């Protein structure tokens, strides 16, 4: 009798090797360098691509299975949330503005990350790195989709979320996250990895996701918590990949060290500037607070990041150049950013407000050295003005930093009463910066940043009006024309939270839910 | 230093003077951070510098309680961070201001809401 022989299944390690390393090839009728032109020109030397270890050894078949299960759970929660009118369970309608910031400024970055990883995944000659990048590319695309799906429920009930893709390419403050990723995607593939996998994912992503998701949990938004968890399990894989790729680069050749150091200096600072939006969200936009930006910075950046840079010292890597200034900024940036959006809330599709007395006391407690001295007086002034019917809106366009594209709102290190101005001349033109580090980034690659699409300058160049707009007609209001080009709903998406449609609707839904039915 | 690229990397700068209807001037009011950042304004180069306070700055900074109290004869000016003495009778251009210059003014004795630099 014949015994059936079953083929032994491959072990995890062999299967991983077969499904990643086995996917490469050597070109025959075209030179390798012509087919893969990108992985050499930055000067990074790779001697042995097989030293690249994907820490999760994830293969595509395992990936589909694992992610499919996660998606099922995620969509079950989103569905239940929608059916139970979960939007009514959040702490306060002010909280929804954190979600507006997320769908406007963070979700499109997931899409950019997807594009960036798809690009580098095509370009590396090493198969391990190529597969890892492709897998992350799919993750990022999924994040873009699940975040959009989860937040689309809120979009049915609240303003400021209906046009986020259109806004991403136009609205002034969204040029900050947009330029970050465009800068990364137009760097070489190794610079992209250092920027996104290492600096952003590994060093800074906790500062992005933890405040948003714990903020959501504290404020009763279980839908966001769920997509946060779903994304966060990928983020931990991305983080591990981030540290792996930086160690790989540093171990391959000592000549890589100074190149990588330059990128770390640049991308830590660019990422830190981008997170200004998150700092503001955390200290001002969550009606139920989780932890202050300062506390989050101390825990995730100073402790974790500090330990990391000590760890990397054995490769010859030092602390990033802007580190000390970034640490000093923990006492200031959330207040300075909120003031900016309070100033320019006519042109921003989310609401701002003056924190109430309890919230100001919380800020005083969390920022004992700075809040009462520098920031409380103007908030109290704003409140008095608003109560007198003269809510302050700044109507003149601000000066922007040529590198990070943020209005020049940051103060001098060591002196919170003085705006920090820096400038460079290049080929007969002046360029201005918010800090030594943004200036350094420009000075290193001026050819790149003289192309910055600075929203204020573009408005003055006449590029931000709808086709057919005639700026010479009598009574032309440039601000209104720009908002029309943004396709913002003026009077609904913008202006103070007090008196907004969001505020009124939410009060009606929660306070008098039966009124309509009784009638 | 310059960009490392696969091939020639040379693109026109977006913000050269020719692209604007008038040269840009950046203006900041020291010690008054209620206005979150300095301003960016396209201004005709033949405008007399002395017209700035009434023709421009009143509309820009007028909402601040300190603005009406400014004694313009005591105001200190800075250009690119250095002390600077403009001639109010001369035009912006004749005062040496060119596209994307950054100037600031300090109003001695006026340091914002409750002297909080706001």
């Amino acid at each position: 009798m014949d015994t059936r022989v079953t083929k032994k299944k491959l072990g995890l390690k062999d299967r991983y090797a077969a499904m990643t390393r086995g996917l490469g090839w050597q070109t025959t009728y075209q030179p390798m360098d012509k087919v893969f032109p990108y992985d050499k020109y930055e000067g990074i030397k790779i001697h042995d691509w097989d030293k690249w270890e994907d820490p999760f050894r994830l293969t595509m078949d395992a990936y589909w299975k694992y992610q499919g299960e996660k998606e099922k759970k995620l969509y079950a929660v989103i569905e239940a949330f929608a059916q139970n009118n979960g939007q009514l369970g959040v702490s306060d309608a002010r909280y929804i503005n954190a979600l507006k910031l997320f769908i406007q400024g963070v979700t499109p970055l997931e899409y950019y990350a997807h594009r960036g990883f798809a690009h580098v995944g095509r370009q590396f000659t090493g198969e391990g790195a190529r597969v890892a990048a492709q897998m992350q590319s799919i993750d990022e695309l999924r994040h873009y989709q699940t975040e959009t799906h989860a937040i689309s429920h809120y979009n049915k009930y609240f303003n400021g979320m209906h046009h986020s893709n259109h806004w991403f390419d136009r609205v002034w403050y969204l040029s900050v996250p947009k330029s970050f990723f465009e800068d990364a995607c137009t760097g070489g593939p190794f610079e992209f990895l250092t920027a996104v996998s290492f600096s952003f994912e590994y060093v800074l992503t906790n500062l992005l996701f933890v405040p948003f998701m714990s903020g959501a949990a504290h404020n009763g938004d279980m839908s966001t918590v769920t997509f946060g968890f779903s994304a966060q399990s990928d983020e931990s894989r991305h983080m591990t990949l981030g540290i792996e790729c930086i160690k790989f680069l540093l171990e391959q050749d000592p000549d890589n060290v100074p190149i990588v150091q330059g990128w770390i200096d640049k991308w830590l600072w660019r990422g830190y500037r981008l997170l200004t939006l998150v700092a503001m969200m955390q200290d001002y936009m969550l009606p139920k607070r989780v932890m202050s930006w300062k506390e989050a910075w101390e825990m995730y950046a100073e402790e974790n990041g500090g330990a990391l840079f000590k760890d990397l010292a054995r490769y010859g890597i030092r602390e990033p150049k802007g580190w000390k200034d970034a640490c000093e900024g923990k006492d200031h940036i959330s207040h300075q950013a909120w003031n900016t959006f309070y100033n320019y809330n006519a042109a921003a599709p989310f609401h701002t407000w003056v924190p109430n007395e309890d919230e100001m006391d919380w800020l005083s407690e969390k920022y004992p050295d700075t809040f009462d001295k520098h920031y409380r007086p103007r908030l109290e002034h704003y409140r008095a003005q608003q109560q007198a019917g003269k809510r302050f809106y700044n109507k003149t366009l601000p000066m922007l930093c040529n590198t990070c594209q943020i209005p020049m709102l940051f103060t001098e290190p060591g002196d919170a009463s003085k705006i920090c101005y820096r400038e460079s001349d290049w080929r007969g033109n002046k360029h201005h910066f918010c800090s030594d580090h943004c200036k350094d980034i420009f000075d290193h690659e001026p050819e790149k940043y003289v192309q910055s699409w600075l929203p204020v300058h573009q408005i003055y160049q006449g590029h931000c009006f709808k086709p057919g707009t005639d700026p010479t007609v009598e009574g032309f209001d440039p601000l209104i024309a720009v908002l029309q080009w943004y396709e913002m709903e003026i009077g609904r998406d913008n202006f103070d939270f007090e008196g907004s449609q969001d505020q009124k609707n939410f009060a009606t839904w929660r306070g008098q839910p039966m009124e309509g039915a009784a009638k | 230093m310059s960009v490392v690229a696969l091939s020639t990397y040379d693109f026109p700068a977006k913000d050269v003077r020719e692209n604007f209807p008038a040269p840009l001037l950046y203006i900041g009011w020291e010690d008054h951070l209620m206005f979150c950042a300095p301003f960016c304004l396209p201004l005709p180069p033949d405008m007399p510098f002395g017209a700035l306070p009434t023709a421009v700055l009143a509309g820009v900074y007028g909402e601040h309680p300190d603005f009406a109290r400014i004694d313009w004869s005591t105001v200190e000016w800075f250009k690119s961070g250095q002390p600077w003495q403009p001639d109010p009778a001369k035009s912006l251009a004749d005062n040496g201001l060119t596209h994307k210059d950054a100037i600031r003014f300090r109003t001695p004795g006026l340091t914002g809401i409750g002297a909080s630099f706001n």
Side-chain angles (χ1 to χ4, degrees):
Chain A
M1 202 166 95
D2 291 340
T3 310
R4 190 180 274 184
V5 181
T6 46
K7 257 193 193 167
K8 211 183 153 204
K9 271 191 179 171
L10 291 178
L12 192 64
K13 205 176 164 188
D14 294 333
R15 207 158 57 107
Y16 171 72
M19 293 192 73
T20 54
R21 302 305 202 267
L23 297 177
W25 75 94
Q26 285 290 320
T27 55
T28 49
Y29 57 92
Q30 288 286 347
M32 276 295 273
D33 283 351
K34 209 174 158 195
V35 179
F36 293 96
Y38 282 88
D39 75 357
K40 290 216 173 66
Y41 80 90
E42 293 170 283
I44 292 290
K45 294 175 185 161
I46 304 295
H47 303 290
D48 182 5
W49 272 107
D50 282 339
K51 289 265 167 34
W52 175 283
E53 289 281 344
D54 182 346
F56 282 83
R57 299 199 194 290
L58 197 62
T59 56
M60 200 46 92
D61 56 342
Y63 178 86
W64 292 129
K65 186 168 177 287
Y66 171 64
Q67 298 295 5
E69 284 165 9
K70 274 200 336 192
E71 297 290 85
K72 270 185 218 151
K73 286 180 200 154
L74 168 67
Y75 281 95
V77 173
I78 293 177
E79 185 83 347
F81 186 83
Q83 286 182 6
N84 292 310
N85 282 318
Q87 80 281 358
L88 295 178
V90 302
S91 56
D92 178 342
R94 289 184 302 166
Y95 163 73
I96 306 298
N97 291 285
L99 293 181
K100 297 180 192 180
L101 200 60
F102 199 93
I103 191 76
Q104 293 170 11
V106 180
T107 302
L109 297 185
E110 307 273 21
Y111 192 72
Y112 263 63
H114 148 68
R115 289 173 58 185
F117 279 106
H119 174 69
V120 302
R122 157 66 181 83
Q123 302 303 342
F124 287 132
T125 42
E127 302 101 290
R130 212 187 296 160
V131 170
Q134 287 169 352
M135 217 89 89
Q136 182 159 351
S137 170
I138 298 168
D139 278 347
E140 305 291 2
L141 185 57
R142 264 189 27 257
H143 295 173
Y144 176 82
Q145 290 172 331
T146 54
E147 288 164 15
T148 305
H149 287 161
I151 291 180
S152 69
H153 177 72
Y154 286 97
N155 180 41
K156 295 177 196 162
Y157 299 98
F158 296 94
N159 298 318
M161 290 185 251
H162 58 93
H163 224 7
S164 51
N165 277 345
H166 183 84
W167 292 334
F168 191 65
D169 292 328
R170 290 165 181 79
V171 174
W172 56 281
Y173 60 90
L174 297 174
S175 79
V176 175
K178 181 179 160 80
S179 72
F180 176 97
F181 259 89
E182 288 186 345
D183 191 350
C185 290
T186 51
F190 289 110
E191 181 174 353
F192 178 83
L193 281 193
T194 311
V196 179
S197 289
F198 177 68
S199 299
F200 202 74
E201 302 269 5
Y202 191 78
V203 186
L204 299 170
T205 199
N206 271 331
L207 282 161
L208 174 68
F209 268 86
V210 178
F212 261 112
M213 299 320 152
S214 20
H218 273 69
N219 287 279
D221 177 8
M222 296 325 283
S223 168
T224 298
V225 174
T226 312
F227 83 62
F229 279 154
S230 172
Q232 189 62 34
S233 58
D234 300 331
E235 298 301 341
S236 25
R237 180 154 41 82
H238 302 169
M239 286 172 70
T240 319
L241 205 58
I243 191 71
E244 173 58 30
C245 86
I246 211 83
K247 286 186 173 169
F248 172 73
L249 292 184
L250 298 172
E251 280 167 1
Q252 283 290 308
D253 198 293
D255 287 353
N256 294 344
V257 175
I259 303 177
V260 171
Q261 179 74 60
W263 289 335
I264 290 177
D265 289 345
K266 168 181 173 180
W267 287 102
L268 249 302
W269 187 256
R270 290 226 58 187
Y272 165 68
R273 276 294 188 240
L274 170 58
L275 290 184
T276 305
L277 287 170
V278 182
M280 162 185 95
M281 188 275 302
Q282 196 168 352
D283 281 344
Y284 284 83
M285 298 173 87
L286 300 176
K288 287 191 180 161
R289 312 291 162 112
V290 182
M291 56 165 36
S292 66
W293 168 255
K294 182 181 176 179
E295 288 166 326
W297 179 265
E298 285 168 351
M299 183 184 299
Y300 295 115
E302 289 180 15
E303 283 179 31
N304 297 359
L308 169 71
F309 288 108
K310 279 195 192 105
D311 221 32
L312 292 177
R314 67 196 160 102
Y315 297 103
I317 291 291
R318 53 159 172 74
E319 181 178 282
K321 256 193 200 165
W323 193 250
K324 286 198 172 56
D325 287 344
C327 292
E328 190 193 311
K330 71 188 172 191
D331 263 315
H332 303 285
I333 62 168
S334 68
H335 316 295
Q336 293 170 345
W338 186 248
N339 186 43
T340 304
F341 284 98
Y342 193 87
N343 269 232
Y344 288 112
N345 204 178
F350 62 82
H351 301 300
T352 59
W353 54 86
V354 173
N356 64 34
E357 208 50 44
D358 286 349
E359 290 165 340
M360 286 218 228
D361 289 345
W362 184 86
L363 290 165
S364 299
E365 188 195 317
K366 296 295 179 185
Y367 295 94
D369 301 330
T370 55
F371 183 73
D372 287 350
K373 185 177 171 201
H374 297 287
Y375 306 113
R376 188 190 274 263
R378 70 182 170 216
L379 291 168
E380 289 176 343
H381 173 73
Y382 290 152
R383 184 166 56 198
Q385 289 293 104
Q386 186 185 27
Q387 285 166 354
K390 294 183 288 186
R391 202 282 194 192
F392 169 61
Y393 289 108
N394 189 335
K395 296 177 199 75
T396 313
L397 302 184
M399 175 182 187
L400 305 179
C401 172
N402 204 137
T403 301
C404 69
Q405 310 202 359
I406 298 178
M408 298 265 296
L409 60 94
F410 300 103
T411 46
E412 283 286 355
D415 186 355
S417 69
K418 283 211 173 318
I419 295 283
C420 183
Y421 294 77
R422 299 289 183 272
E423 62 181 64
S424 293
D425 279 293
W426 194 70
R427 292 189 181 165
N429 279 296
K430 283 196 181 67
H431 300 274
H432 298 268
F433 314 98
C434 67
S435 55
D436 289 323
H437 312 294
C438 278
K439 175 176 156 58
D440 280 353
I441 292 169
F442 175 94
D443 288 346
H444 186 67
E445 295 177 307
E447 299 92 337
K448 191 166 195 181
Y449 300 99
V450 295
Q451 302 172 68
S452 294
W453 194 95
L454 299 176
V456 167
H457 293 185
Q458 291 298 312
I459 290 171
Y460 284 138
Q461 288 182 33
H463 295 158
C464 303
F465 305 132
K466 277 194 173 257
T469 303
D470 179 5
T472 60
V473 295
E474 206 180 327
F476 175 74
D477 184 334
L479 175 64
I480 297 291
V482 170
L483 298 186
Q484 284 166 344
W485 181 70
Y486 287 173
E487 297 182 359
M488 263 172 62
E489 294 282 346
I490 301 166
R492 291 212 319 213
D493 293 332
N494 56 348
F495 300 135
D496 205 277
F497 177 76
E498 285 300 322
S500 66
Q501 195 180 43
D502 277 3
Q503 182 193 34
K504 287 177 194 157
N505 284 344
F506 192 70
T508 308
W509 296 330
R510 285 238 297 216
Q512 308 111 15
M514 298 305 290
E515 194 179 300
K519 281 176 187 165
Chain B
M1 291 300 222
S2 62
V3 171
V4 176
L6 269 177
S7 55
T8 317
Y9 193 99
D10 191 11
F11 301 94
K14 273 215 165 37
D15 293 327
V16 291
R17 165 67 189 91
E18 301 76 57
N19 293 349
F20 293 86
L24 298 182
L25 184 66
Y26 300 113
I27 302 182
W29 184 6
E30 294 290 277
D31 310 332
H32 289 79
L33 294 172
M34 181 183 114
F35 302 98
C36 58
F39 290 117
C40 170
L41 294 159
L43 293 176
D46 54 358
M47 186 176 108
F49 191 89
L52 264 185
T54 47
V56 177
L57 300 183
V60 172
Y61 287 112
E63 279 201 58
H64 198 286
D66 277 355
F67 190 79
R69 296 159 56 204
I70 299 175
D71 174 358
W72 288 96
S73 66
T74 65
V75 165
E76 298 164 5
W77 289 93
F78 302 86
K79 187 180 162 197
S80 291
Q82 298 305 309
W84 178 59
Q85 282 195 313
D87 180 344
K90 284 187 179 167
S91 70
L92 299 181
D94 289 342
N95 270 294
L97 293 175
T98 56
H99 183 51
K100 297 211 280 173
D101 261 328
I103 62 172
R104 308 183 225 176
F105 63 103
R106 199 177 149 260
T107 48
L110 300 178
T111 50
I113 302 152
S116 67
F117 296 87
N118 276 296

